[in-house]
Amino acid sequence: VQDFYRDLKDHLLARLEERGFTVADRGGGHRELGEYSFHQRSCLVIHKELAYWHEVFRINWTSYDLLRSQDSVNPKNHGDIMLLSPRFHDNPSEHRYTYARVIRIFHVNVRLDESAMSGFERMDVLFVRLFRLDKSAPGGFNHKRLHRVEFVPADDEEACGERMAARRDSPC
């Protein structure tokens, strides 16, 4: 996988930035969320440069009747997931969900130099391959059938964007 380490650092920096941790860019100038300089990437320290692989990802959640429940994702037999699409909030005419297949589950311990983070913090990551809607087959409630999906081709712009789409910030 080309540029995995850089993409991982960008993904982790974006998650930390969403939580209020930032690293000043010495290059100056305006940048968008998710675009990071070499200096910013170098300030993100991955403890011992290790990623710890896991076989199962467990998610705790509260059901509609306020009972606690747990789901698990296992790339070997239950690897397909769906998430609320970030594009749907900006444009309600977009499809509501993003679909993906989990390839690997891992966590890294990270900290930011030059920030208020006192120690290393565990961050869980799902490495995924994205699906897209198959536009040739109608789906949804109006058509009384599920949407059909297909893998996003590797050379497509969408495939390069967010390979680490699913995440949680605290262990179950």
Side-chain angles (χ1 to χ4, degrees):
V1 175
Q2 192 174 12
D3 298 326
F4 175 79
Y5 192 68
R6 190 198 69 209
D7 290 347
L8 174 63
K9 281 200 162 193
D10 287 352
H11 174 77
L12 296 171
L13 282 166
R15 288 175 54 192
L16 289 170
E17 193 172 43
E18 287 171 359
R19 294 176 38 210
F21 295 105
T22 58
V23 177
D25 186 10
R26 292 191 179 154
H30 176 73
R31 70 168 185 82
E32 297 295 324
L33 179 70
E35 295 177 4
Y36 299 99
S37 68
F38 176 80
H39 169 72
Q40 290 172 309
R41 287 187 194 106
S42 66
C43 287
L44 179 72
V45 178
I46 298 176
H47 188 252
K48 297 183 182 179
E49 297 294 319
L50 288 175
Y52 299 90
W53 303 106
H54 300 281
E55 297 298 319
V56 178
F57 183 72
R58 291 185 176 81
I59 303 159
N60 295 323
W61 54 282
T62 304
S63 64
Y64 68 94
D65 54 357
L66 302 179
L67 296 176
R68 292 195 310 182
S69 191
Q70 186 179 71
D71 280 334
S72 63
V73 177
N74 184 336
K76 292 182 180 171
N77 57 10
H78 297 290
D80 294 339
I81 60 173
M82 65 187 245
L83 310 160
L84 287 175
S85 176
R87 288 184 244 160
F88 178 73
H89 298 294
D90 299 334
N91 184 3
S93 65
E94 286 279 334
H95 188 67
R96 182 177 297 261
Y97 301 104
T98 298
Y99 304 95
R101 175 160 295 160
V102 177
I103 298 171
R104 286 299 274 180
I105 303 166
F106 62 94
H107 84 267
V108 291
N109 297 314
V110 300
R111 117 180 125 74
L112 279 175
D113 282 346
E114 304 174 9
S115 79
M117 290 181 76
S118 59
F120 286 95
E121 184 175 315
R122 175 181 168 151
M123 297 185 83
D124 297 289
V125 180
L126 300 182
F127 185 69
V128 300
R129 182 162 181 207
L130 295 176
F131 289 110
R132 67 177 176 195
L133 290 179
D134 182 357
K135 302 289 186 188
S136 67
F141 287 113
N142 294 340
H143 299 285
K144 298 179 183 167
R145 61 183 287 178
L146 295 174
H147 291 282
R148 190 161 65 181
V149 295
E150 61 188 1
F151 282 117
V152 175
D155 60 345
D156 194 319
E157 199 172 289
E158 286 181 58
C160 300
E162 193 65 38
R163 286 184 280 246
M164 288 162 253
R167 68 210 192 235
R168 72 168 183 231
D169 291 323
S170 59
C172 292

